[in-house]
Amino acid sequence: MSGAVLQLVGVTQQYGEGETSVSALSGVDLTVDKGELVAIMGASGSGKSTLLSIAGGLQKPTSGEVVVEGTYLSTATRRDLAQLRRRSLGFVFQDFNLIPTLTAVENVTLPLELDGFRARVARRAGRDALASVGLEDKIDSYPDDLSGGQQQRVAIARAVVGGRRLILADEPTGALDSVTGEAVMKMIRHRVDQGAAGILVTHEPRHAAWADRIVFLRDGRIIDETQRHGADALLSSTR
């Protein structure tokens, strides 16, 4: 598919061997296109976070193939994978993963500086990214001086700075109140509407309803999916 940013083909992840082996993923096929947000839902232990980790090249599957913007991760070198994560992938985690000794703008620009951007250019891009999430007045603040919602917005700015094309969000609203959580979802949706592809792991139907497609996992397998027009019905059924 020409618009595909991410493709998982027959992806299996198995831990252990013999009778004690556990299959976290079993033959998963998934394609995410440019401008598409896909929500992954399922019970605890269904394989959601494993899928996200494999999609981002943080771990290799036992079998199957992962392709990000035409790059086959199975044959990519460690250096290639590191470069791909710095340039193309944006991660948003529930616990923010900010470095406490760096300011907001330093946290955002760190991936750019590691990729060889000059400090002045990186800082300008970081300021713009923080402004895009409403934190232009917090660029020199440290994480401990920010609220949970503000820290998550810094994490989103870091995920999108430099024009990253694949946003991977693992329960990004889990530590936030409902109002702030909705604001975070709006930001992720906006970035996808600008042309990125996105995967959102969530257990909240109201957040999954922001997605174009909802994929359901059970025991490491995709068992069902619904398009955006079906998300409202899903949300209504949980109220």
Side-chain angles (χ1 to χ4, degrees):
M1 195 176 294
S2 60
V5 175
L6 171 70
Q7 292 174 292
L8 276 65
V9 182
V11 168
T12 294
Q13 182 64 57
Q14 185 170 334
Y15 299 108
E17 298 180 357
E19 295 181 357
T20 60
S21 68
V22 176
S23 293
L25 294 176
S26 301
V28 170
D29 295 317
L30 179 66
T31 298
V32 185
D33 292 335
K34 178 181 179 181
E36 182 182 30
L37 178 61
V38 175
I40 308 293
M41 300 191 75
S44 178
S46 61
K48 302 186 302 296
S49 293
T50 299
L51 186 153
L52 203 70
S53 180
I54 288 174
L58 297 178
Q59 66 182 95
K60 288 189 175 182
T62 304
S63 63
E65 187 59 80
V66 182
V67 187
V68 178
E69 293 198 308
T71 297
Y72 287 76
L73 301 196
S74 62
T75 56
T77 65
R78 180 178 295 183
R79 182 176 180 178
D80 291 337
L81 289 173
Q83 186 178 82
L84 184 72
R85 285 192 289 267
R86 289 197 306 269
R87 296 180 178 179
S88 297
L89 306 182
F91 294 91
V92 185
F93 301 100
Q94 178 177 338
D95 57 0
F96 318 138
N97 282 355
L98 301 179
I99 300 174
T101 56
L102 298 182
T103 65
V105 72
E106 289 169 343
N107 267 282
V108 172
T109 60
L110 182 60
L112 298 181
E113 295 193 44
L114 290 174
D115 202 33
F117 280 68
R118 288 182 296 178
R120 182 179 298 179
V121 175
R123 185 175 176 86
R124 185 183 307 120
R127 290 173 64 100
D128 290 345
L130 286 168
S132 73
V133 297
L135 290 178
E136 57 269 28
D137 60 334
K138 299 292 184 180
I139 63 170
D140 293 320
S141 298
Y142 290 91
D144 286 347
D145 297 323
L146 302 173
S147 68
Q150 289 171 332
Q151 290 185 55
Q152 190 60 293
R153 281 189 276 166
V154 173
I156 291 174
R158 182 182 58 193
V160 304
V161 72
R164 286 173 175 76
R165 277 86 64 187
L166 179 59
I167 308 301
L168 303 172
D170 193 0
E171 299 281 6
T173 62
L176 307 176
D177 62 76
S178 59
V179 173
T180 305
E182 291 296 310
V184 165
M185 283 309 309
K186 186 175 182 180
M187 293 170 199
I188 294 174
R189 179 73 247 182
H190 177 66
R191 179 67 190 100
V192 170
D193 289 341
Q194 288 180 319
I199 294 183
L200 166 72
V201 166
T202 184
H203 66 278
E204 291 282 358
R206 68 178 184 275
H207 295 151
W210 286 85
D212 301 291
R213 184 160 43 111
I214 304 173
V215 172
F216 299 91
L217 283 181
R218 179 186 295 163
D219 298 328
R221 298 180 183 273
I222 293 177
I223 60 168
D224 198 6
E225 66 176 73
T226 181
Q227 299 296 322
R228 191 170 192 175
H229 65 268
D232 289 338
L234 171 67
L235 181 57
S236 297
S237 70
T238 64
R239 288 173 176 163

